[in-house]
Structure formats: C-alpha cells, structure tokens
Amino acid sequence: MSTSDKITIHTLRKRKSADEKFAMLTCYDYPTAQLLSAAGIDTILAGDTYAEVCLGHSSTLPATMEMMVTITAAVRRGAPQAFLLGDMPYLSYQASIPEAIHNAGRFMAEAGCDAVKVEVDRRLADLVAALTRATIPVCAHLGLKPQSIHQMGGYIKQGKSAECAQRLIEDARQMEKAGASLLLLEGVPDEVARIITEQSELPVIGIAAGPACDGQVLVLHDILGFQAGHPPKAAKRYTELHPIMVQAFKSFRQEVVGGTFPGPAHSTPMAAEEWLRLKDRLSSSTSG
Ligand code: KIV
C-alpha cells in the first residue's frame, strides 16, 4: 500500500467539496474487512452494534472497551487503507474527560483507528473539545443515540418537531465549533439532515437520515440478510445470505451423517510405503 492510497479525514473532506458521496458499512472482523476492501468500501465503522448482531444482546450497552478494541484492531488488519472509525462503547467516555482520553487513545494506538465516534449533544461539547485537543479526531453521533435508549424511551426518531429539529441543528453547530472532525446523524428527518449537511463544513454520515448526507452507513448484517426477519426500515437488503448459509450447513450435516464427507478429495492418506510399514509394525507388535 502506498501512503497515497490511505483514506484519511482529508479524503472525506475533499469528497464533500467535490459532492462525491461515500458508502460506509459496519464491520466486526478481519475476513469481512478484507471483503469490504475488495468491494471498494473504504470507510468502515467498527460499531458497537457488534453487541447486538454478533453477540445477540438486545442493545449496544453491553459492548466493552476490551471487545471493541479487539474487534476494531482485527478490522484494521483486514482493511489497512480504509478510513476506520472506532465506536466508543457505553460509559467509556461519559464518566470523565481523562478516562475518555485514555480510552479514545486506545482506539487510536492499539486498534489503529482514524477517528473515534461518541454519542453526544451540546452537554458533551467539552468532551469533544478535550479529545480534539488530545489530537484524537472525533465523529459526533447526534440524533437517535442507541446508548441513550433508556433516556429516550426507545429507538425513537429525533428532531421531529420544529423545536427539537432546531435544537439538533444547533447541537451540530456546537460540535463543529468544539472541533469535531465528522458528524453522524441517526434517525433524524431528511430535511433536518439536509440543513445540517449543507451548513456544515464537516463530512456528515447518515443512517436513517435521508439522502442529503455526504456518506451513508448501514449495519452489515442488515444489508446481507444474515438474520431471518425484516431489517429496519431505513436499511436495504442487497442479498439474502440466511437461506444460503442454512442450506450450506444442512448439506454439511447431511454429508457427515451420510458418510460422504470427507471423501477422497478432502482426505490425506499415508504414503503407501509408510502404511505398509505401519501394518507390519502393528502385526509384529501384536504377534510378539
Ligand atoms: O454501532 C453502530 O453500528 C452504529 C451505527 C448504527 C451508526 O453506531
């Protein structure tokens, strides 16, 4: 990889100025990161949705620093040139600024991230400023904040009334003023996302935030149809892996149970001469 292939925050800023959209996906492991790179997906979020889609939790709250740093480093190994956003888990940045800087620093130093994402509003502007001062680029996640579901009363779209929308627009301004490098808008009306994207100099990534954002992010498992059932409304299925994978597992089981796997193509017999020698040795040891 030459350094000119590396996607940086400057690449994303240039894309915004040139009106070039970018596509981001979540990713939680090394081989999938390699697949994303092969497909030209060069912006990746190692998201705390890992706790839901890979570990089966009903929210992102159980994600921990150890989990997130481990999976994020694996994604980095699979996609060395991508712009990699690390997702700071619940309570890794809310309790105190020194703890937030220490934890964000781990994403940068141990996992090789390009920036960290924190779920914020104006009350955490000082946190965004402190991380930025500590040389850590910050993506400010605004709108529907999955780590605040208990406070929000569920996964509820934000900024629907004129007052709430204005507040969100002002929050975005304050994040930019505090030094954020990127904004991520989740679950906000299209019109509000358009105003924020047009007003901000920062690249704005959207999920369930309409078409105006500079980039779009989706959860990988939603677009692959990995799990049975319907994806969230804002996600689009690009394939249905669930039946394909279930069929492959069924075929494997049937062949094992039926004794056709492993066949000659997947077996490794001994060299003929060694097999003869082994038989000789076994027969002489039983006769002796
Ligand atoms: O963790 C995640 O996947 C996210 C996206 C839903 C934006 O934060």
Side-chain angles (χ1 to χ4, degrees):
M1 178 186 71
S2 85
T3 48
S4 61
D5 296 331
K6 177 76 186 83
I7 308 301
T8 67
I9 188 66
H10 297 296
T11 323
L12 303 187
R13 280 181 176 255
K14 273 194 216 145
R15 285 182 187 168
K16 177 167 181 128
S17 326
D19 220 359
E20 267 175 47
K21 305 270 187 196
F22 57 91
M24 174 181 266
L25 282 171
T26 65
C27 184
Y28 316 102
D29 63 66
Y30 169 80
T32 311
Q34 288 184 309
L35 292 171
L36 295 188
S37 289
I41 301 280
D42 57 12
T43 53
I44 299 179
L45 168 64
D48 62 358
T49 40
Y50 171 72
E52 296 175 289
V53 297
C54 297
L55 302 183
H57 292 292
S58 59
S59 78
T60 58
L61 303 194
T64 64
M65 273 302 293
E66 294 318 313
M67 275 176 203
M68 293 308 299
V69 170
T70 301
I71 65 154
T72 308
V75 171
R76 171 51 86 210
R77 287 191 287 278
Q81 80 293 1
F83 183 85
L84 178 58
L85 192 51
D87 204 1
M88 294 195 65
Y90 183 55
L91 293 191
S92 68
Y93 56 93
Q94 293 93 337
S96 77
I97 284 179
E99 195 180 3
I101 294 175
H102 171 77
N103 286 331
R106 290 191 61 197
F107 275 95
M108 304 303 287
E110 294 175 40
C113 285
D114 295 290
V116 297
K117 178 167 82 59
V118 284
E119 297 183 10
V120 288
D121 56 34
R122 65 189 65 186
R123 292 170 297 180
L124 289 178
D126 57 343
L127 166 77
V128 173
L131 291 173
T132 305
R133 264 197 312 277
T135 73
I136 298 167
V138 176
C139 173
H141 180 151
L142 299 162
L144 195 170
K145 294 175 285 176
Q147 292 175 11
S148 308
I149 42 163
H150 298 299
Q151 224 169 31
M152 291 186 310
Y155 294 95
I156 295 164
K157 215 161 169 109
Q158 301 294 300
K160 287 200 288 190
S161 69
E163 292 76 16
C164 293
Q166 193 177 8
R167 203 171 161 77
L168 205 52
I169 293 165
E170 183 50 32
D171 279 352
R173 255 197 228 112
Q174 293 202 17
M175 291 306 127
E176 186 161 1
K177 218 168 126 207
S181 295
L182 289 156
L183 301 177
L184 188 146
L185 303 177
E186 176 167 1
V188 307
D190 299 8
E191 295 82 350
V192 178
R194 180 177 297 281
I195 293 169
I196 293 174
T197 306
E198 286 175 359
Q199 284 186 353
S200 177
E201 304 233 316
L202 306 179
V204 179
I205 305 162
I207 177 165
C213 300
D214 303 305
Q216 295 288 333
V217 61
L218 284 177
V219 172
L220 185 99
H221 289 54
D222 291 339
I223 80 156
L224 293 181
F226 207 80
Q227 271 127 344
H230 292 294
K233 180 170 178 269
K236 180 171 172 187
R237 285 242 158 120
Y238 287 85
T239 188
E240 288 289 345
L241 284 192
H242 185 268
I244 296 172
M245 292 176 77
V246 170
Q247 186 49 54
F249 302 148
K250 277 187 181 166
S251 302
F252 170 61
R253 183 184 163 274
Q254 273 162 9
E255 289 191 8
V256 171
V257 171
T260 57
F261 180 85
H266 300 99
S267 306
T268 318
M270 286 178 88
E273 190 192 315
E274 290 303 318
W275 173 228
L276 286 177
R277 284 199 330 107
L278 176 62
K279 283 205 290 192
D280 274 354
R281 288 171 73 94
L282 292 176
S283 57
S284 52
S285 69
T286 40
S287 56

